[in-house]
Amino acid sequence: MRTSALLGVLILAGCGVRASGQATTAPPPPSPASRTTPPTTPTGAVPSIATGTPARARGADGVVLGPNRAGWWNDAVFYEVFVRSFADSSSGALANDGIGDIPGLIEKLDYLNDGDPATTMDLGVTGLWLMPIHPSPSYHGYDVKDYRGVNPQYGTLEDFRRLVAACHKRGIRVILDMVLNHCSDENPWFVGAADPASPKHDWFIWADADPGWKGPWKEQVWHKVRKGGDKPLWYYGIFSGRMPDLNYRNAQVSEEMLRVTDFWVDKEHGVGADGYRLDAVRHLVEDGQVQENTPETHAWLKKFHAELKRANPEGVSIGEVWTSSEVASSYVGDELDMTFEFDLSFAMVEAAKTGKAQPVIDAQAKVLRCYRPNQYGRFLTNHDQARVLTALKGDGGAMRSAAALMLLGPGVPFIYYGEELGMIGDKPDENLRRPMRWTTDDGAGFTKGKPWEGMGKEPPETCVASETGDAGSLLAWYRRLIALRKAHGALAHGGYAPVRTGNPGVIAFVRTGEEPVLVIVNLTGEPVREYALEGPEATLKGSWVVREALHGGKPGAGGAGGAGGADGPKPIAELAAHEAYALVMTARPVGAPVEQKR
């Protein structure tokens, strides 16, 4: 073990703009008109969109100030599951029908977290995000027929209660995908609603003629009633004619969706869920052709937030606000607990792919200027994007770098199922949501029947069974990173201080806290000796006992008993290709002798 007087660091920050997709079936858009009258904004006009980060206390460098931990979610690592593709149950009414279900998910919970902190063969996640489980006419479930029900292909409400109980026993919290923006055209609310006499008519947005304007991706957002009466009638659905938007200007709609919120999370009378991931949430309330981020949307989400905390004070909400960091962060606080940070996700994948650290340095700096500390979802890709390894052109080393950036950085990590194995897939969406690979068998251990969707093109060894016993596998790497994050409060919910490295392919930062952790990642495919750590301001002064914790002090890791390492600006003599290091910094007791380099 070596003692080192380590560098100082300065916290950076920034804020920028970027827009893109959405989570239902396509990339995300702006939203539309109200009720039965056509929009008042002239066709072709560019409506203004009220955005911008809320007034927040900031340091002299522009970084948002505040506590690093707002709730239990800041200690969690989440795992996103598409129930249909995770595991088909092996017994019971739904067994081996080729469709993943809730009983099958329960059977596999020990893979996610076995509840025993002494074991190392589980993944170690402590949060579970379930993509929609409600009854739906589609395979993906983002068009809901019954907000209080469970898709019968997945199981029953009682099955869901059993899942929550089993998860809580293992220390896993469960959040549900909630689609507030729109429902299915087969939802009883919409069936018959075209009739002006229907009590649900004003639950949707109508026009007597096609208003003639498009959505944010130039898509058709006005749809003709398929079974009309004497006069034509059009309704608004930003994502599809099969997904009519709900009219939140109607007080009954607003109240009903707040009651739905209560149903799943109420601490005393609810089903037991711990919160929500909110789909397409920036499109809730339209104002003519302004189809996103309206003041009315922000106002309604304040009602939602208050109701969620009343029903379950520990309930969490994270929103899909697929746009710039500046706009996404404007929802965080009294509207949502977190939003997903898309700009940062793009930057982490880009940095891993190119071996250049600057995209992540810039994106993280921007995030620090926009969000309350750590109140955002940190992820690589999700169910709407090419899987990470596909985006990285199959580069396994780059995949390791990307995983380290995501799991050792600030914010709340979200892993997409199968990502930890190296599953691949690109558009269309079904290819991104193929069955989980458990074994090398024909059905990949997912089912003994015929899978609802064919397996991906990964080698059969890309599976839990093959990777579990391989210390060099991607799965083993994810397990180590998660375990390290859970073991150190600085990594779970500490601050962030960037460190200059003098090498464009190396990124370094300190996760600050009671026991800081210095993270160094070589993003390149070659060993690196030419780098030096330096901070422009001595915010971490003093002598430290430095222990490399990610590699167990093996030679070259710079940890206890390791052959590598150096004091001061270069604690690791040589950074291996695509390797990450985590140096835990413990203050040396006053008067203790400084161990010399060997």
Side-chain angles (χ1 to χ4, degrees), residues 185-225:
D185 66 345
E186 296 183 24
N187 190 305
W189 300 344
F190 187 75
V191 175
D195 184 349
S198 168
K200 296 292 192 292
H201 181 72
D202 283 344
W203 283 40
F204 301 93
I205 302 163
W206 307 95
D208 292 333
D210 183 352
W213 44 265
K214 304 291 185 182
W217 317 296
K218 308 302 180 185
E219 82 277 21
Q220 185 72 32
V221 296
W222 288 98
H223 313 279
K224 192 173 183 179
V225 175

Side-chain angles (χ1 to χ4, degrees), residues 18 325 341-350 359-367 376-380 405 410-411:
R18 180 175 189 162
S325 301
E341 190 22 66
F342 283 88
D343 281 358
L344 182 60
S345 74
F346 301 144
M348 287 190 289
V349 173
E350 179 70 12
V360 164
I361 293 171
D362 293 343
Q364 187 66 65
K366 178 179 63 172
V367 164
Y376 52 91
R378 189 179 186 94
F379 69 105
L380 295 173
L405 289 175

Side-chain angles (χ1 to χ4, degrees), residues 423-575:
M423 287 177 59
I424 59 176
D426 209 337
K427 294 284 189 175
D429 287 348
E430 290 86 344
N431 292 338
L432 313 174
R433 307 167 187 179
R434 291 183 183 275
M436 177 75 169
R437 286 188 168 274
W438 297 97
T439 68
T440 58
D441 301 339
D442 289 343
F446 166 71
T447 183
K448 291 182 180 178
K450 181 180 179 181
W452 76 274
E453 183 75 9
M455 307 308 297
K457 296 181 180 179
E458 308 89 352
E461 293 74 23
T462 304
C463 68
V464 174
S466 296
E467 295 190 32
T468 290
D470 180 359
S473 69
L474 184 60
L475 175 57
W477 182 235
Y478 266 78
R479 285 171 172 166
R480 283 159 58 195
L481 289 168
I482 293 169
L484 185 69
R485 187 181 183 95
K486 290 168 65 177
H488 295 279
L491 290 175
H493 54 255
Y496 175 91
V499 176
R500 294 196 298 268
T501 70
N503 188 310
V506 177
I507 185 171
F509 51 87
V510 174
R511 300 300 310 281
T512 59
E514 184 174 343
E515 191 175 56
V517 179
L518 169 63
V519 175
I520 308 172
V521 184
N522 177 9
L523 297 166
T524 75
E526 302 292 336
V528 169
R529 296 184 65 88
E530 300 300 321
Y531 78 102
L533 305 181
E534 102 179 85
E537 190 174 287
T539 57
L540 283 178
K541 297 178 181 178
S543 294
W544 304 90
V545 177
V546 179
R547 174 177 59 87
E548 207 295 317
L550 190 53
H551 300 279
K554 71 180 183 180
D567 291 336
K570 196 174 177 183
I572 308 293
E574 181 176 279
L575 306 175

Side-chain angles (χ1 to χ4, degrees), residues 51 58 105 164 174 264 299 311 414 443 466:
T51 60
R58 301 175 189 275
L105 174 54
V164 171
V174 181
W264 294 97
F414 284 76
S466 296

Side-chain angles (χ1 to χ4, degrees), residues 27-159:
S31 288
S34 59
R35 300 276 279 271
T36 55
T37 56
T40 56
T41 307
T43 301
V46 180
S48 62
I49 299 177
T51 60
T53 51
R56 289 173 178 158
R58 301 175 189 275
D61 49 9
V63 172
V64 178
L65 303 176
N68 290 324
R69 187 183 186 278
W72 58 264
W73 50 89
N74 286 127
D75 299 317
V77 175
F78 280 86
Y79 192 82
E80 178 189 358
V81 163
F82 184 36
V83 173
R84 179 175 294 271
S85 285
F86 197 63
D88 188 3
S89 52
S90 61
S91 63
L94 301 175
N96 298 315
D97 62 357
I99 297 174
D101 47 53
I102 294 173
L105 174 54
I106 294 173
E107 291 177 15
K108 298 295 188 181
L109 282 180
D110 279 351
Y111 166 73
L112 299 179
N113 190 326
D114 63 11
D116 183 353
T119 60
T120 59
M121 300 310 286
D122 58 332
L123 193 56
V125 298
T126 51
L128 186 61
W129 157 22
L130 301 182
M131 289 170 63
I133 63 168
H134 307 300
S136 169
S138 69
Y139 85 92
H140 52 73
Y142 282 99
D143 44 347
V144 177
K145 289 175 63 175
D146 178 6
Y147 283 94
R148 291 177 174 81
V150 171
N151 187 331
Q153 293 180 319
Y154 295 170
T156 65
L157 199 57
E158 185 53 38
D159 288 329

